[in-house]
Amino acid sequence: MTYSSSVSEAERSDDSSVGHHSTSDDSTIYRDDAEIEKYQQLDPIRSLKSYLKQHKLWDESQNELFIKATNKKIMEAIKVAENDSLPGQDDIFNNVYSAIPFHISKQQVGLQKYFKRRNQLVNGK
Amino acid sequence: MILSKTNRISLHKVSNFFRLILPAESQNICRHVHFKYYPDTTSKIKGETKEMNMFQAINNALHLYMEKDETSIMFGEDVEFGGVFRCSMGLKDRFGSRIFNTPLCEQGIAGFGIGAAANDVTAIAEIQFADYIYPAFDQLVNEAAKYRYRSGDQFNCGKLTVRAPCGAVGHGGLYHSQSPEAFFAHAPGLRVVIPRGPIQAKGLLLSSIEVEDPTIFFEPKILYRTASEQVPVEYYKLPLEKAEIVREGTDITLIAWGTQVHVLLEVADMAKEKLGVSCEVIDLRSILPWDIETICKSVVKTGRAVVSHEAPLTQGFGAEIAATIQEECFLNLEAPVARVTGWDTPFPYIHEKHYLPDKYRCFFAVEDTIKY
């Protein structure tokens, strides 16, 4: 199990920044509660928070505002992503390098030829 | 198979945990299976058989081996409850402290395995995904591969076997789909083995564990559940370093390993039907050391070859095979050796079906090679 630092609704309510591997993972099934609790205590985000609070660099109200603002940002980003169209077929070769090198552009041409040829074979056009 | 109490309780929960990665229970409801599975029906191993899918065959092999060899241990991330792909189910209950979880530290898993193997312990390590084997790269390539050589055979870690799920699964994206066999094939001293189904997986895994060289055993994860066969229940081994001709033919040699063997078997059917071409399909099985003889004898006979793998083209193991065929069979070749592979990009999530060397792409390569 990996402890992720994502902050879900449930985790926030008990002031813990760690969670299970994914939303469908319930690690209490295969881990002792004591072991989970032990590692929650070692959570570096929790430690950093208490360190900052100790040095009066951070407090609960700041924390709450920060979490609220961050959640809002994430929700907005998800909305943008969900409404965006899927990348086009040629996008597969973009962003491997800052610019597409020759050997990859050859493969790009190969993929386009393949689409045409498959269309011909499958649909006869 | 022996299921522990905790396993029975946890099965459902844990299956939810990895539902995004695991293919579903049966082929019909599995998303994006890009190939048709051709079960192995010509197995020559005698005796009683039982229907098993690939994770069950691997689990069965581990049970049989650990029962036979009391010095053997099996370890990795979350292996105690059965592992995310269920390959170690029931082992903890049966063999106790010989099965244990490790921290999330692949370098540590490999390093520990090498140390144990060097001290005459049969060490079977699981890396949860081949995509995460890279932190162990230094240990495997710099230590495991060289251990026997650098000590002039005073020491070795031949009792080490590292299992890792590899390959496309329909929705694995960048970090749950890679096929890193070529990286390890560049490290003399290692063995690299990849099975194409349950019967092969059991026999090859037992050989990999027994062989006195460190072996990396990559298991195409899409086959864990989609591939089902009548697997012999006895302990049996299949030869390493030996490719298998899975279908005989006369006009062209098609070479692959793992899942891709099944893609090429379907391509052979298409080529027969559409082009009247007879394809010889070979499963390489062992990537390192590899069976040059079987491949080259076939190409001398057919005069044409297509090599296909999921990993990227550049520096994929297909390059090694093509170069060797060119050296050994130059005067018999009627056409250049074709390579049909994943593109030279990271493994894409959305574009998986355009990335994989599917049956059409392989079929066109056969057509071009025949008409060259």
Side-chain angles (χ1 to χ4, degrees):
Chain A
M1 182 181 51
T2 322
Y3 287 90
S4 68
S5 53
S6 62
V7 182
S8 78
E9 206 65 40
E11 286 154 9
R12 250 188 308 149
S13 62
D14 75 285
D15 189 34
S16 164
S17 52
V18 295
H20 302 283
H21 188 109
S22 69
T23 50
S24 52
D25 176 33
D26 177 4
S27 52
T28 57
I29 297 290
Y30 54 95
R31 293 262 188 262
D32 282 347
D33 289 351
E35 191 189 355
I36 294 174
E37 179 55 32
K38 180 185 140 195
Y39 280 97
Q40 281 180 344
Q41 297 303 328
L42 295 172
D43 172 27
I45 295 175
R46 183 186 279 204
S47 309
L48 179 67
K49 189 175 146 192
S50 72
Y51 177 86
L52 292 172
K53 273 162 87 176
Q54 222 176 333
H55 290 267
K56 309 253 180 278
L57 295 164
W58 195 248
D59 61 35
E60 273 313 316
S61 64
Q62 266 177 301
N63 200 60
E64 212 167 285
L65 280 174
F66 173 74
I67 287 175
K68 234 184 194 165
T70 310
N71 268 333
K72 199 173 157 230
K73 240 186 190 169
I74 292 170
M75 292 316 291
E76 280 167 4
I78 289 174
K79 224 179 247 171
V80 169
E82 278 177 346
N83 291 325
D84 205 358
S85 55
L86 289 178
Q89 284 163 346
D90 231 21
D91 192 63
I92 189 172
F93 299 102
N94 292 335
N95 303 317
V96 181
Y97 295 96
S98 54
I100 295 179
F102 177 72
H103 75 284
I104 294 185
S105 68
K106 258 179 77 182
Q107 296 180 17
Q108 205 169 12
V109 173
L111 180 60
Q112 288 312 319
K113 276 191 188 151
Y114 154 80
F115 283 136
K116 273 195 197 132
R117 221 167 144 181
R118 188 187 63 181
N119 203 25
Q120 240 163 22
L121 185 81
V122 177
N123 304 320
K125 59 185 176 196
Chain B
M1 238 166 0
I2 298 148
L3 298 182
S4 71
K5 258 188 196 155
T6 35
N7 277 335
R8 280 198 207 105
I9 301 162
S10 65
L11 264 180
H12 178 67
K13 290 282 185 183
V14 180
S15 73
N16 275 342
F17 167 29
F18 264 77
R19 73 185 199 284
L20 290 173
I21 304 304
L22 279 170
E25 291 288 343
S26 91
Q27 193 164 357
N28 296 337
I29 50 169
C30 184
R31 298 191 278 162
H32 312 304
V33 173
H34 63 280
F35 63 97
K36 176 176 154 193
Y37 185 72
Y38 286 75
D40 190 349
T41 52
T42 57
S43 159
K44 289 182 189 74
I45 300 124
K46 295 202 171 67
E48 193 195 333
T49 63
K50 197 181 156 203
E51 170 124 6
M52 296 184 205
N53 60 28
M54 201 169 85
F55 89 72
Q56 289 166 331
I58 288 166
N59 180 259
N60 179 247
L62 292 171
H63 272 277
L64 289 173
Y65 189 82
M66 299 205 69
E67 189 175 71
K68 183 178 101 120
D69 175 0
E70 282 185 0
T71 76
S72 57
I73 55 172
M74 201 262 163
F75 50 96
E77 291 158 17
D78 296 326
V79 297
E80 283 188 13
F81 79 80
V84 295
F85 289 108
R86 320 275 201 283
C87 293
S88 53
M89 276 199 334
L91 291 171
K92 182 74 192 168
D93 269 13
R94 218 172 145 191
F95 303 107
S97 58
R98 285 163 57 198
I99 312 294
F100 48 93
N101 289 339
T102 64
L104 288 175
C105 178
E106 287 76 10
Q107 184 177 28
I109 294 171
F112 176 84
I114 294 164
N119 286 286
D120 259 348
V121 169
T122 304
I124 308 166
E126 177 177 299
I127 300 290
Q128 203 165 74
F129 285 90
D131 308 65
Y132 299 123
I133 204 170
Y134 305 124
F137 198 73
D138 176 53
Q139 283 297 318
L140 294 171
V141 170
N142 248 343
E143 306 299 340
K146 302 174 171 69
Y147 212 80
R148 188 187 296 278
Y149 192 80
R150 76 167 196 229
S151 70
D153 202 22
Q154 289 184 74
F155 312 106
N156 72 78
C157 61
K159 288 181 179 291
L160 173 68
T161 306
V162 179
R163 298 176 35 249
C166 72
V169 67
H171 43 269
L174 285 80
Y175 299 105
H176 295 87
S177 309
Q178 294 171 69
S179 298
E181 68 271 10
F183 286 117
F184 295 99
H186 208 61
L190 291 182
R191 286 180 180 272
V192 181
V193 177
I194 308 181
R196 68 166 189 277
I199 295 175
Q200 294 289 317
K202 181 175 170 183
L204 290 171
L205 178 58
L206 289 172
S207 297
S208 298
I209 296 171
E210 278 197 23
V211 74
E212 287 295 311
D213 299 305
T215 304
I216 302 179
F217 193 80
F218 287 124
E219 300 161 2
K221 66 180 86 67
I222 199 166
L223 301 178
Y224 280 137
R225 282 154 186 280
T226 53
S228 197
E229 282 166 358
Q230 285 296 326
V231 180
V233 294
E234 297 280 293
Y235 190 103
Y236 66 92
K237 292 193 289 177
L238 290 170
L240 301 176
E241 296 175 52
K242 272 318 257 180
E244 189 186 11
I245 298 172
V246 287
R247 185 176 301 177
E248 287 191 18
T250 51
D251 301 330
I252 185 167
T253 303
L254 312 183
I255 304 146
W257 46 91
T259 316
Q260 200 61 16
V261 173
H262 302 286
V263 176
L264 292 188
L265 281 165
E266 196 176 351
V267 169
D269 286 342
M270 286 167 75
K272 182 105 223 151
E273 184 203 319
K274 293 185 196 298
L275 308 169
V277 163
S278 157
C279 300
E280 181 142 301
V281 181
I282 301 182
D283 176 3
L284 195 61
R285 303 200 287 193
S286 174
I287 309 302
L288 190 72
W290 66 287
D291 185 356
I292 296 176
E293 197 186 349
T294 299
I295 302 294
C296 290
K297 269 190 179 156
S298 172
V299 178
V300 164
K301 177 176 80 176
T302 62
R304 293 177 168 88
V306 173
V307 192
S308 184
H309 53 69
E310 289 181 13
L313 177 79
T314 300
Q315 186 67 353
F317 200 69
E320 180 60 33
I321 296 173
T324 304
I325 292 173
Q326 181 267 134
E327 264 170 23
E328 301 288 335
C329 319
F330 186 68
L331 294 175
N332 301 90
L333 282 175
E334 303 287 348
V337 180
R339 287 181 290 160
V340 193
T341 68
W343 307 116
D344 284 344
T345 72
F347 196 105
Y349 177 60
I350 296 287
H351 295 303
E352 172 165 336
K353 62 179 190 288
H354 304 140
Y355 174 86
L356 287 175
D358 68 356
K359 62 179 177 186
Y360 295 111
R361 197 132 70 82
C362 296
F363 173 76
F364 298 143
V366 170
E367 194 177 25
D368 291 346
T369 305
I370 289 289
K371 293 180 178 164
Y372 186 79

Short mmCIF file of all heavy atoms in Angstrom, two decimals, chain B residues 48-84:
data_model
loop_
_atom_site.label_atom_id
_atom_site.label_comp_id
_atom_site.label_asym_id
_atom_site.label_seq_id
_atom_site.Cartn_x
_atom_site.Cartn_y
_atom_site.Cartn_z
N GLU B 48 -2.45 -35.92 -15.56
CA GLU B 48 -3.70 -35.23 -15.28
C GLU B 48 -3.57 -33.72 -15.55
O GLU B 48 -2.52 -33.13 -15.29
CB GLU B 48 -4.04 -35.46 -13.80
CG GLU B 48 -5.45 -35.08 -13.41
CD GLU B 48 -5.60 -34.98 -11.89
OE1 GLU B 48 -4.82 -35.67 -11.17
OE2 GLU B 48 -6.45 -34.22 -11.45
N THR B 49 -4.63 -33.13 -16.06
CA THR B 49 -4.62 -31.69 -16.29
C THR B 49 -5.80 -31.04 -15.57
O THR B 49 -6.74 -31.72 -15.19
CB THR B 49 -4.73 -31.33 -17.79
OG1 THR B 49 -5.98 -31.80 -18.28
CG2 THR B 49 -3.59 -31.92 -18.59
N LYS B 50 -5.69 -29.72 -15.43
CA LYS B 50 -6.78 -28.98 -14.79
C LYS B 50 -6.88 -27.63 -15.50
O LYS B 50 -5.85 -27.05 -15.88
CB LYS B 50 -6.42 -28.77 -13.31
CG LYS B 50 -7.60 -28.40 -12.46
CD LYS B 50 -7.18 -28.18 -11.02
CE LYS B 50 -8.19 -27.26 -10.35
NZ LYS B 50 -7.68 -26.56 -9.21
N GLU B 51 -8.10 -27.15 -15.66
CA GLU B 51 -8.26 -25.84 -16.32
C GLU B 51 -7.72 -24.74 -15.39
O GLU B 51 -8.15 -24.62 -14.24
CB GLU B 51 -9.74 -25.59 -16.64
CG GLU B 51 -10.00 -24.17 -17.08
CD GLU B 51 -10.68 -24.07 -18.44
OE1 GLU B 51 -11.05 -25.12 -18.98
OE2 GLU B 51 -10.84 -22.93 -18.93
N MET B 52 -6.77 -23.99 -15.88
CA MET B 52 -6.20 -22.89 -15.09
C MET B 52 -5.98 -21.69 -16.00
O MET B 52 -5.65 -21.87 -17.17
CB MET B 52 -4.82 -23.27 -14.52
CG MET B 52 -4.80 -24.40 -13.53
SD MET B 52 -3.11 -24.63 -12.89
CE MET B 52 -3.18 -26.35 -12.41
N ASN B 53 -6.16 -20.51 -15.44
CA ASN B 53 -5.72 -19.34 -16.19
C ASN B 53 -4.25 -19.08 -15.81
O ASN B 53 -3.67 -19.86 -15.06
CB ASN B 53 -6.63 -18.13 -15.94
CG ASN B 53 -6.68 -17.72 -14.50
OD1 ASN B 53 -5.72 -17.95 -13.75
ND2 ASN B 53 -7.77 -17.11 -14.08
N MET B 54 -3.67 -18.00 -16.32
CA MET B 54 -2.22 -17.88 -16.14
C MET B 54 -1.82 -17.59 -14.70
O MET B 54 -0.81 -18.08 -14.22
CB MET B 54 -1.60 -16.87 -17.10
CG MET B 54 -0.10 -17.13 -17.27
SD MET B 54 0.67 -16.21 -18.59
CE MET B 54 1.02 -14.66 -17.79
N PHE B 55 -2.62 -16.78 -13.98
CA PHE B 55 -2.20 -16.51 -12.60
C PHE B 55 -2.33 -17.78 -11.75
O PHE B 55 -1.53 -18.02 -10.84
CB PHE B 55 -2.93 -15.30 -12.00
CG PHE B 55 -4.24 -15.56 -11.30
CD1 PHE B 55 -4.28 -16.20 -10.06
CD2 PHE B 55 -5.43 -15.13 -11.86
CE1 PHE B 55 -5.49 -16.42 -9.41
CE2 PHE B 55 -6.63 -15.35 -11.22
CZ PHE B 55 -6.67 -16.00 -10.00
N GLN B 56 -3.31 -18.61 -12.08
CA GLN B 56 -3.46 -19.87 -11.34
C GLN B 56 -2.31 -20.83 -11.65
O GLN B 56 -1.82 -21.53 -10.76
CB GLN B 56 -4.81 -20.52 -11.68
CG GLN B 56 -5.98 -19.75 -11.09
CD GLN B 56 -7.31 -20.16 -11.68
OE1 GLN B 56 -7.40 -20.57 -12.84
NE2 GLN B 56 -8.37 -20.02 -10.89
N ALA B 57 -1.88 -20.84 -12.91
CA ALA B 57 -0.77 -21.73 -13.30
C ALA B 57 0.52 -21.30 -12.61
O ALA B 57 1.31 -22.14 -12.16
CB ALA B 57 -0.60 -21.73 -14.81
N ILE B 58 0.73 -19.99 -12.51
CA ILE B 58 1.92 -19.47 -11.84
C ILE B 58 1.85 -19.77 -10.35
O ILE B 58 2.81 -20.21 -9.73
CB ILE B 58 2.07 -17.96 -12.13
CG1 ILE B 58 2.48 -17.76 -13.60
CG2 ILE B 58 3.07 -17.30 -11.18
CD1 ILE B 58 2.34 -16.36 -14.12
N ASN B 59 0.66 -19.55 -9.77
CA ASN B 59 0.46 -19.85 -8.36
C ASN B 59 0.73 -21.33 -8.08
O ASN B 59 1.39 -21.68 -7.11
CB ASN B 59 -0.99 -19.47 -7.99
CG ASN B 59 -1.30 -19.74 -6.53
OD1 ASN B 59 -1.92 -20.74 -6.20
ND2 ASN B 59 -0.85 -18.85 -5.66
N ASN B 60 0.23 -22.17 -8.95
CA ASN B 60 0.43 -23.61 -8.84
C ASN B 60 1.91 -23.95 -8.90
O ASN B 60 2.41 -24.75 -8.09
CB ASN B 60 -0.37 -24.28 -9.98
CG ASN B 60 -0.22 -25.78 -9.97
OD1 ASN B 60 0.37 -26.35 -10.89
ND2 ASN B 60 -0.74 -26.44 -8.95
N ALA B 61 2.64 -23.34 -9.82
CA ALA B 61 4.08 -23.58 -9.94
C ALA B 61 4.80 -23.18 -8.65
O ALA B 61 5.66 -23.90 -8.15
CB ALA B 61 4.65 -22.80 -11.13
N LEU B 62 4.41 -22.05 -8.07
CA LEU B 62 5.06 -21.57 -6.85
C LEU B 62 4.79 -22.53 -5.69
O LEU B 62 5.68 -22.85 -4.91
CB LEU B 62 4.59 -20.15 -6.51
CG LEU B 62 5.05 -19.05 -7.48
CD1 LEU B 62 4.34 -17.72 -7.19
CD2 LEU B 62 6.57 -18.85 -7.41
N HIS B 63 3.53 -23.00 -5.59
CA HIS B 63 3.20 -23.97 -4.53
C HIS B 63 4.06 -25.22 -4.69
O HIS B 63 4.64 -25.71 -3.71
CB HIS B 63 1.72 -24.36 -4.61
CG HIS B 63 0.82 -23.45 -3.83
ND1 HIS B 63 0.61 -23.59 -2.48
CD2 HIS B 63 0.09 -22.37 -4.21
CE1 HIS B 63 -0.21 -22.65 -2.06
NE2 HIS B 63 -0.55 -21.88 -3.09
N LEU B 64 4.13 -25.75 -5.91
CA LEU B 64 4.88 -26.98 -6.14
C LEU B 64 6.35 -26.79 -5.83
O LEU B 64 6.99 -27.63 -5.20
CB LEU B 64 4.71 -27.45 -7.59
CG LEU B 64 3.33 -27.98 -7.97
CD1 LEU B 64 3.26 -28.25 -9.47
CD2 LEU B 64 3.02 -29.25 -7.18
N TYR B 65 6.90 -25.63 -6.26
CA TYR B 65 8.32 -25.43 -6.04
C TYR B 65 8.64 -25.27 -4.54
O TYR B 65 9.58 -25.87 -4.03
CB TYR B 65 8.88 -24.22 -6.82
CG TYR B 65 10.38 -24.24 -6.69
CD1 TYR B 65 11.14 -25.06 -7.51
CD2 TYR B 65 11.02 -23.55 -5.66
CE1 TYR B 65 12.51 -25.18 -7.33
CE2 TYR B 65 12.39 -23.67 -5.47
CZ TYR B 65 13.13 -24.47 -6.32
OH TYR B 65 14.47 -24.61 -6.13
N MET B 66 7.84 -24.48 -3.86
CA MET B 66 8.14 -24.20 -2.46
C MET B 66 7.96 -25.43 -1.57
O MET B 66 8.60 -25.56 -0.53
CB MET B 66 7.30 -23.03 -1.97
CG MET B 66 7.63 -21.79 -2.80
SD MET B 66 7.32 -20.24 -2.00
CE MET B 66 8.55 -20.22 -0.71
N GLU B 67 7.10 -26.32 -2.04
CA GLU B 67 6.92 -27.57 -1.32
C GLU B 67 8.17 -28.45 -1.50
O GLU B 67 8.62 -29.11 -0.58
CB GLU B 67 5.70 -28.27 -1.93
CG GLU B 67 5.23 -29.48 -1.19
CD GLU B 67 3.95 -29.99 -1.84
OE1 GLU B 67 4.00 -30.52 -2.96
OE2 GLU B 67 2.89 -29.83 -1.22
N LYS B 68 8.73 -28.40 -2.70
CA LYS B 68 9.85 -29.26 -3.05
C LYS B 68 11.16 -28.78 -2.41
O LYS B 68 11.99 -29.58 -2.01
CB LYS B 68 9.99 -29.22 -4.59
CG LYS B 68 11.07 -30.12 -5.16
CD LYS B 68 11.07 -30.03 -6.68
CE LYS B 68 12.18 -29.13 -7.17
NZ LYS B 68 13.15 -29.74 -8.04
N ASP B 69 11.34 -27.47 -2.37
CA ASP B 69 12.63 -26.91 -1.94
C ASP B 69 12.44 -26.10 -0.66
O ASP B 69 11.93 -24.97 -0.68
CB ASP B 69 13.18 -26.02 -3.08
CG ASP B 69 14.46 -25.30 -2.70
OD1 ASP B 69 14.95 -25.48 -1.56
OD2 ASP B 69 14.97 -24.54 -3.54
N GLU B 70 12.88 -26.67 0.44
CA GLU B 70 12.66 -26.02 1.74
C GLU B 70 13.52 -24.78 1.93
O GLU B 70 13.29 -24.00 2.85
CB GLU B 70 12.91 -27.02 2.88
CG GLU B 70 11.75 -27.97 3.06
CD GLU B 70 11.94 -28.86 4.26
OE1 GLU B 70 12.97 -28.75 4.95
OE2 GLU B 70 11.04 -29.69 4.51
N THR B 71 14.51 -24.59 1.09
CA THR B 71 15.34 -23.39 1.22
C THR B 71 14.73 -22.21 0.47
O THR B 71 15.28 -21.12 0.46
CB THR B 71 16.77 -23.60 0.67
OG1 THR B 71 16.71 -23.57 -0.77
CG2 THR B 71 17.36 -24.92 1.12
N SER B 72 13.61 -22.42 -0.21
CA SER B 72 13.08 -21.34 -1.06
C SER B 72 12.29 -20.32 -0.26
O SER B 72 11.58 -20.66 0.69
CB SER B 72 12.22 -21.93 -2.18
OG SER B 72 11.18 -22.69 -1.63
N ILE B 73 12.42 -19.07 -0.66
CA ILE B 73 11.63 -17.98 -0.07
C ILE B 73 11.00 -17.17 -1.19
O ILE B 73 11.48 -17.18 -2.33
CB ILE B 73 12.50 -17.04 0.81
CG1 ILE B 73 13.70 -16.49 0.00
CG2 ILE B 73 12.98 -17.78 2.06
CD1 ILE B 73 14.49 -15.42 0.73
N MET B 74 9.87 -16.53 -0.87
CA MET B 74 9.19 -15.72 -1.88
C MET B 74 8.79 -14.40 -1.24
O MET B 74 8.22 -14.40 -0.15
CB MET B 74 7.96 -16.49 -2.38
CG MET B 74 7.45 -16.04 -3.72
SD MET B 74 6.09 -14.90 -3.51
CE MET B 74 6.03 -14.16 -5.11
N PHE B 75 9.13 -13.30 -1.89
CA PHE B 75 8.89 -12.01 -1.24
C PHE B 75 8.64 -10.92 -2.28
O PHE B 75 8.98 -11.06 -3.45
CB PHE B 75 10.10 -11.63 -0.37
CG PHE B 75 11.42 -11.74 -1.11
CD1 PHE B 75 12.00 -10.63 -1.71
CD2 PHE B 75 12.06 -12.97 -1.22
CE1 PHE B 75 13.18 -10.74 -2.41
CE2 PHE B 75 13.25 -13.08 -1.92
CZ PHE B 75 13.81 -11.97 -2.52
N GLY B 76 8.05 -9.84 -1.81
CA GLY B 76 7.73 -8.71 -2.69
C GLY B 76 6.66 -7.86 -2.03
O GLY B 76 6.24 -8.15 -0.90
N GLU B 77 6.21 -6.83 -2.74
CA GLU B 77 5.22 -5.92 -2.16
C GLU B 77 3.85 -6.60 -2.11
O GLU B 77 3.34 -7.04 -3.15
CB GLU B 77 5.17 -4.63 -3.00
CG GLU B 77 6.46 -3.82 -2.86
CD GLU B 77 6.70 -2.87 -4.03
OE1 GLU B 77 5.75 -2.58 -4.80
OE2 GLU B 77 7.84 -2.41 -4.17
N ASP B 78 3.28 -6.69 -0.93
CA ASP B 78 1.93 -7.23 -0.74
C ASP B 78 1.76 -8.69 -1.16
O ASP B 78 0.64 -9.11 -1.47
CB ASP B 78 0.89 -6.36 -1.49
CG ASP B 78 0.82 -4.96 -0.93
OD1 ASP B 78 1.00 -4.81 0.29
OD2 ASP B 78 0.59 -4.01 -1.71
N VAL B 79 2.83 -9.46 -1.18
CA VAL B 79 2.67 -10.85 -1.61
C VAL B 79 1.97 -11.71 -0.55
O VAL B 79 1.38 -12.74 -0.88
CB VAL B 79 4.02 -11.52 -2.00
CG1 VAL B 79 4.65 -10.83 -3.18
CG2 VAL B 79 4.98 -11.56 -0.81
N GLU B 80 2.01 -11.27 0.71
CA GLU B 80 1.45 -12.11 1.78
C GLU B 80 -0.04 -12.38 1.59
O GLU B 80 -0.52 -13.47 1.82
CB GLU B 80 1.70 -11.47 3.15
CG GLU B 80 3.12 -11.65 3.65
CD GLU B 80 3.30 -11.18 5.08
OE1 GLU B 80 2.30 -10.94 5.78
OE2 GLU B 80 4.47 -11.04 5.49
N PHE B 81 -0.79 -11.38 1.19
CA PHE B 81 -2.23 -11.61 1.06
C PHE B 81 -2.57 -12.25 -0.29
O PHE B 81 -3.71 -12.57 -0.57
CB PHE B 81 -3.03 -10.32 1.28
CG PHE B 81 -3.07 -9.38 0.11
CD1 PHE B 81 -3.95 -9.60 -0.95
CD2 PHE B 81 -2.27 -8.25 0.07
CE1 PHE B 81 -4.00 -8.72 -2.03
CE2 PHE B 81 -2.32 -7.37 -1.01
CZ PHE B 81 -3.18 -7.62 -2.06
N GLY B 82 -1.57 -12.46 -1.13
CA GLY B 82 -1.82 -13.12 -2.41
C GLY B 82 -1.29 -12.33 -3.59
O GLY B 82 -1.24 -12.84 -4.70
N GLY B 83 -0.91 -11.08 -3.33
CA GLY B 83 -0.37 -10.25 -4.42
C GLY B 83 -1.49 -9.62 -5.23
O GLY B 83 -2.58 -10.15 -5.30
N VAL B 84 -1.20 -8.49 -5.84
CA VAL B 84 -2.27 -7.77 -6.54
C VAL B 84 -2.80 -8.55 -7.73
O VAL B 84 -3.92 -8.34 -8.17
CB VAL B 84 -1.84 -6.36 -6.99
CG1 VAL B 84 -1.57 -5.47 -5.80
CG2 VAL B 84 -0.65 -6.41 -7.92
#
